[in-house]
Amino acid sequence: LKLKDLFTLASALTALLAIFFAPINLLYSLVLIAASAFFDKLDGYAARALRQSNEFGKQLDSLVDAIAFGAAPAMIVWLTTQNLLGVNVHVLLSSLFYVFCILVRLANFNLQKQKNYFIGVPSPIGAVLAVAWHYFSASTSWFGLIIIGFLMVSEFKVKKLF
């Protein structure tokens, strides 16, 4: 494992902790998902700066992104909504839809030839938006997951800022 891989695993760690903290403190989960996005950004910087980019790192990053920015936000919304509103089929279906959108988005990103822009909303941003929406409006978070899912698989270009 190289330094960039440790940042990738730190992204996984913070996302998994966000799931575990969700029933206890939703704000902690939001901060941990944001931290996961930060570590995801750091792993890319480290790979380029230290010239450590390799196929293992790309595969590990993609797997961690699916957990950190797909499964974790969906689980956070699902777990905490059950505590607030009880079992809700809208939340279940929208959580699954969101995860499917993340998986499609990540697969498309891996195949994308041009890397100076994103196609659709990047998954770390989508994850932070999903958990933030849930934090501020739990009763409509199922709707937020659908909107954010669509934005992540949309065809519009988003310029990279960093």
Side-chain angles (χ1 to χ4, degrees):
L1 292 175
K2 299 183 181 311
L3 177 62
K4 57 147 175 95
D5 301 322
L6 297 178
F7 287 133
T8 304
L9 292 173
S11 178
L13 173 66
T14 53
L16 292 170
L17 286 172
I19 296 170
F20 294 127
F21 275 105
I24 301 164
N25 189 319
L26 187 55
L27 181 58
Y28 288 175
S29 292
L30 176 56
V31 170
L32 287 164
I33 290 294
S36 182
F38 174 74
F39 284 122
D40 182 62
K41 195 68 177 169
L42 277 181
D43 73 5
Y45 283 140
R48 288 185 294 280
L50 301 173
R51 296 190 179 119
Q52 294 181 342
S53 186
N54 59 21
E55 193 58 32
F56 173 80
K58 290 176 188 175
Q59 295 301 320
L60 181 63
D61 185 67
S62 192
L63 292 169
V64 168
D65 285 356
I67 294 167
F69 309 128
M75 289 299 299
I76 290 165
V77 170
W78 171 250
L79 289 170
T80 57
T81 302
Q82 283 188 59
N83 290 344
L84 295 172
L85 307 173
V87 175
N88 186 316
V89 71
H90 294 93
V91 176
L92 175 63
L93 294 177
S94 62
S95 295
L96 293 171
F97 175 79
Y98 173 86
V99 173
F100 294 152
C101 287
I102 283 281
L103 296 175
V104 169
R105 199 249 176 281
L106 291 172
N108 282 332
F109 178 77
N110 288 344
L111 297 174
Q112 184 181 339
K113 302 286 186 233
Q114 275 292 1
K115 297 292 185 175
N116 58 340
Y117 60 86
F118 296 106
I119 298 175
V121 171
S123 55
I125 292 172
V128 172
L129 287 174
V131 178
W133 186 317
H134 182 62
Y135 179 77
F136 290 108
S137 181
S139 63
T140 64
S141 58
W142 66 272
F143 184 65
L145 290 175
I146 292 170
I147 290 173
I148 295 164
F150 275 124
L151 289 173
M152 286 188 295
V153 296
S154 66
E155 295 293 319
F156 67 89
K157 293 179 182 177
V158 178
K159 187 176 180 179
K160 286 187 176 181
L161 300 176
F162 304 103

